[in-house]
């Protein structure tokens, strides 16, 4: 793999190499997949449905133990490390599927984002207040069961929860599926600012290719469980849509 200027190997905080993973014995969903996340940068993973994008994030976060390959975090081997240890090591994960407890209040759901962190009550309060400032809807609905919120509102609470630990590395799976355009725009702005201003290393999986590419610094096009094409923003120049469409829908897509 050639690494382009500005995306040096040594600068990557999260590095996956040659990942092979699957759910059923004998069936590999990820087939020799490698990718990187760099501080201050958004790496974006796009590809057709069922190609293994969500599986990649699960394998990185420890929900699925890779059959082969390595996951390195700041140079340390974390392959197959369990999710709560990954959280403790500063990696957060926003799953594609809804993950709030519908019968618990919004505030209780948020607090669960800190279950593994040994923080004082005052610190929990401070972090909650921060989340409420960033996500006013979470504040407004804080005493309501999460299941009573709209899909988009629930997504915002999930994002708020995953950010409570102030993770330096953030794995995001389809942040805006089913969310209205206005809220989606806010969410992409937030993700961009998490990288640009807060310096987080972000790996973003998205079907909303247009919005994701608008904020991406580096793109991986995944097909059949491995990277078919990759490149920095400079690679795709002005015409990101056409390039990605060509990558995605070329023969074998
Ligand atoms: N828990 C599971 N058990 C068995 N097979 C699974 C499981 N989760 C996913 N798969 C299979 O793994 C393959 C890749 O699924 P994955 O969810 O990673 O795709 P994806 O690229 O995220 O797709 P989408 O864009 O639709 O979200 C699919 O064939 C899917 O059926
Ligand atoms: Mg998916």
């Amino acid at each position: 793999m050639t690494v382009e200027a500005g995306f040096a190997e040594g600068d990557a905080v999260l590095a996956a190499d040659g990942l092979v993973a699957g759910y059923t014995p004998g069936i590999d969903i990820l087939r020799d997949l490698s990718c990187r996340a760099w501080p201050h940068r958004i790496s974006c993973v796009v590809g057709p449905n069922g190609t293994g994008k969500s599986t990649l994030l699960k394998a990185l976060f420890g929900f699925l133990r890779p059959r082969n390959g390595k996951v390195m975090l700041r140079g340390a081997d974390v392959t197959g490390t369990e999710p709560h240890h990954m959280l403790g090591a500063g990696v957060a994960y926003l799953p594609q599927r809804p993950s709030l407890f519908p019968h618990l209040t919004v505030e209780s759901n948020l607090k669960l984002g800190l279950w593994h962190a040994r923080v004082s009550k005052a610190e929990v309060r401070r972090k909650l207040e921060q989340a409420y400032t960033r996500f006013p809807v979470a504040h407004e609905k804080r005493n309501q069961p999460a299941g009573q919120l709209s899909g988009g509102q629930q997504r915002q609470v999930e994002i708020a929860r995953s950010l409570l630990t102030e993770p330096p590395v953030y794995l995001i799976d389809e942040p805006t599926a089913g969310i209205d355009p206005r809220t989606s725009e806010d969410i992409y702005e937030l993700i961009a600012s998490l990288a640009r201003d807060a310096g987080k290393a972000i790996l973003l999986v998205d079907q909303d290719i247009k919005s994701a590419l608008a904020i991406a610094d580096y793109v991986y096009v995944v097909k059949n469980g491995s990277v078919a094409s990759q490149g920095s923003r400079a690679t795709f120049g002005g015409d990101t849509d056409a390039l990605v469409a060509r990558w995605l829908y070329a023969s074998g897509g």
Side-chain angles (χ1 to χ4, degrees), residues 2 12 29 47 51 57 62 71 98 103 110 123 126 158 164-165 169 187 195 215 219 233 240 244:
T2 49
I29 304 294
T51 202
L57 296 194
V71 181
H103 301 296
L110 284 174
E123 185 65 2
R126 189 188 67 78
E158 287 183 284
L164 285 175
T165 51
V169 182
I187 289 176
I215 58 169
V219 179
R233 191 164 198 84
T240 52
V244 170

Side-chain angles (χ1 to χ4, degrees), residues 49-50 52-55 96 173-174 205 207:
N49 291 127
K53 304 181 301 294
S54 296
T55 303
Q96 181 172 1
D173 200 345
E174 310 273 357
V205 166
Q207 284 293 344

Side-chain angles (χ1 to χ4, degrees), residues 220-233:
Y220 295 96
V221 180
V222 173
K223 275 203 243 177
N224 299 322
S226 61
V227 173
S229 307
Q230 61 181 301
S232 69
R233 191 164 198 84

Side-chain angles (χ1 to χ4, degrees), residues 92-213:
Y93 167 58
L94 181 75
Q96 181 172 1
R97 299 200 176 178
S99 62
L100 295 181
F101 293 94
H103 301 296
L104 295 184
T105 63
V106 164
E107 184 153 303
S108 299
N109 269 285
L110 284 174
K111 283 180 178 165
L112 285 173
L114 293 167
W115 66 270
H116 75 290
R118 292 172 193 278
V119 289
S120 67
K121 276 193 172 166
E123 185 65 2
V124 169
R125 202 67 243 163
R126 189 188 67 78
K127 285 176 183 288
L128 282 178
E129 293 309 326
Q130 265 181 355
Y132 289 146
T133 306
R134 196 182 255 167
F135 296 91
V137 71
H139 184 251
E140 185 192 325
K141 308 275 185 186
R142 64 192 179 283
N143 296 321
Q144 261 175 256
Q148 288 180 7
L149 274 62
S150 75
Q153 291 169 339
Q154 291 191 34
R155 200 61 173 153
Q156 291 179 77
V157 174
E158 287 183 284
I159 296 172
R161 182 179 62 184
S162 59
L163 289 172
L164 285 175
T165 51
E166 294 166 39
V169 182
Y170 194 17
L171 311 175
I172 310 177
D173 200 345
E174 310 273 357
T176 63
I179 293 184
D180 71 87
R182 178 78 195 280
T183 309
S184 295
E185 217 174 281
D186 289 348
I187 289 176
Y188 285 112
E189 253 176 47
L190 169 71
I191 292 172
S193 133
L194 290 173
R196 315 283 179 260
D197 306 327
K200 294 184 193 303
I202 292 178
L203 196 59
L204 170 66
V205 166
D206 218 325
Q207 284 293 344
D208 183 348
I209 293 178
K210 206 175 169 61
S211 303
L213 287 185

Side-chain angles (χ1 to χ4, degrees), residues 10-88:
D11 294 339
V13 60
L14 186 72
D17 275 301
L19 287 187
V20 177
Y23 304 92
T24 316
I27 301 178
D28 294 332
I29 304 294
L30 302 184
R31 303 173 198 183
D32 194 18
L33 196 153
S34 303
C35 65
R36 303 280 181 274
W38 294 268
H40 292 278
R41 298 262 155 82
I42 297 171
S43 300
C44 184
V45 178
V46 298
N49 291 127
T51 202
K53 304 181 301 294
S54 296
T55 303
L56 166 65
L57 296 194
K58 287 185 233 170
L60 293 173
F61 195 63
F63 278 120
L64 190 62
R65 179 177 280 275
R67 292 174 177 152
N68 214 334
K70 258 190 185 176
V71 181
M72 306 290 286
L73 181 65
R74 292 181 208 90
D77 191 338
V78 293
T79 317
T81 298
E82 289 172 356
H84 61 284
H85 289 307
M86 292 300 279
L87 265 175

